Each structure stands twice: as structure tokens, then as C-alpha cells.
Amino acid sequence: MRLIDLSSAIDASRWEPEPVSHEIVTPAEGAAHMAKEMRDHFGLDFDPAELPDGELLSIDNLSLNSHTGTHIDAPSHYGSRAGYGDGRPRTIDEMPLDWFHRPAFVLDFSGVPGPATLTADDIAKELAR
């Protein structure tokens, strides 16, 4: 079976007003951070310089909102009522994983001039293809 990742990049710059921030903590900064945390939380003192190359862990800190990237649970982002199930939109953690691992087909809208909103005719034409 061939699996195709349909995820979009974590980039909100085209449609979301809230920016995505990405902060990288280097291994040396991570060693200093861990030394401070060990001192503050456990009363243990150690010098990061005692670690190999004065390094310990690198950390990527991301800040983004729930509309960033791919979110199949979009209905849950636009209100508290739904016309299916118990009347409440499902969030991603409530959707069965097997919904996302099934046979499928691809609709190719690369010929539609963009940025544009697809029309019902665009979809019907591609479904007929």
C-alpha cells in the first residue's frame, strides 16, 4: 500500500494573523538551562563545562495556533454545533485513526488559476476526469 502525506507545512503567514515562532536552543544553551533547572528545582549544582563539550540537549520551541498547518478537524474551529453525531463538532483526538488510512483518489486542481476559491464546477469537472 502506498501512503501519501497530505499535511501542509507549518506556515501561517498566508492566512493567519498570529505568527508561528520557532526558537532553537543550542546544546550549549540546553546544558546551561538544565544546570539552572536542576539547581532551582532539586538543589543540585553542576557546572555545564563538566559535560562533554559543555553540551547536553537541544530544544526546539514552537508557538503556533490551532489553525496552523493541516487540521482535519476544521469544523470544530468554527462553532460549537454540528449537523452530525451528537451535534458537537469532533476534534482530531475524537476521530478514528483508520479514517485517515484508507483507499483514496487524487483530485488535481493545479490547473485552476490561483489564488482562487474552487467552484462546484471545478470539482465536478475533476471528478468526471
Side-chain angles (χ1 to χ4, degrees):
M1 177 185 307
R2 181 173 164 214
L3 297 178
I4 301 171
D5 182 359
L6 299 176
S7 303
S8 61
I10 296 177
D11 176 9
S13 62
R14 292 181 48 203
W15 58 83
E16 287 297 328
E18 300 299 323
V20 172
S21 68
H22 179 203
E23 173 198 7
I24 298 171
V25 177
T26 67
E29 293 167 335
H33 170 73
M34 185 58 77
K36 179 184 180 318
E37 293 299 312
M38 295 298 284
R39 184 175 47 255
D40 292 352
H41 295 286
F42 304 107
L44 300 173
D45 264 331
F46 76 87
D47 182 355
E50 294 177 23
L51 298 168
D53 299 321
E55 297 181 336
L56 185 58
L57 67 146
S58 60
I59 304 169
D60 285 72
N61 293 313
L62 294 169
S63 175
L64 55 125
N65 71 42
S66 59
H67 281 181
T68 305
T70 306
H71 55 287
I72 195 69
D73 62 347
S76 69
H77 297 262
Y78 294 99
S80 59
R81 291 183 291 150
Y84 57 82
D86 64 2
R88 186 183 53 80
R90 290 184 182 113
T91 55
I92 190 68
D93 60 310
E94 298 171 308
M95 295 178 180
L97 185 58
D98 71 324
W99 283 8
F100 307 100
H101 187 260
R102 294 180 179 224
F105 57 92
V106 175
L107 300 178
D108 181 2
F109 295 107
S110 60
V112 176
T117 300
L118 295 172
T119 66
D121 288 342
D122 293 326
I123 297 169
K125 179 180 173 187
E126 185 58 14
L127 284 170
R129 181 188 63 82

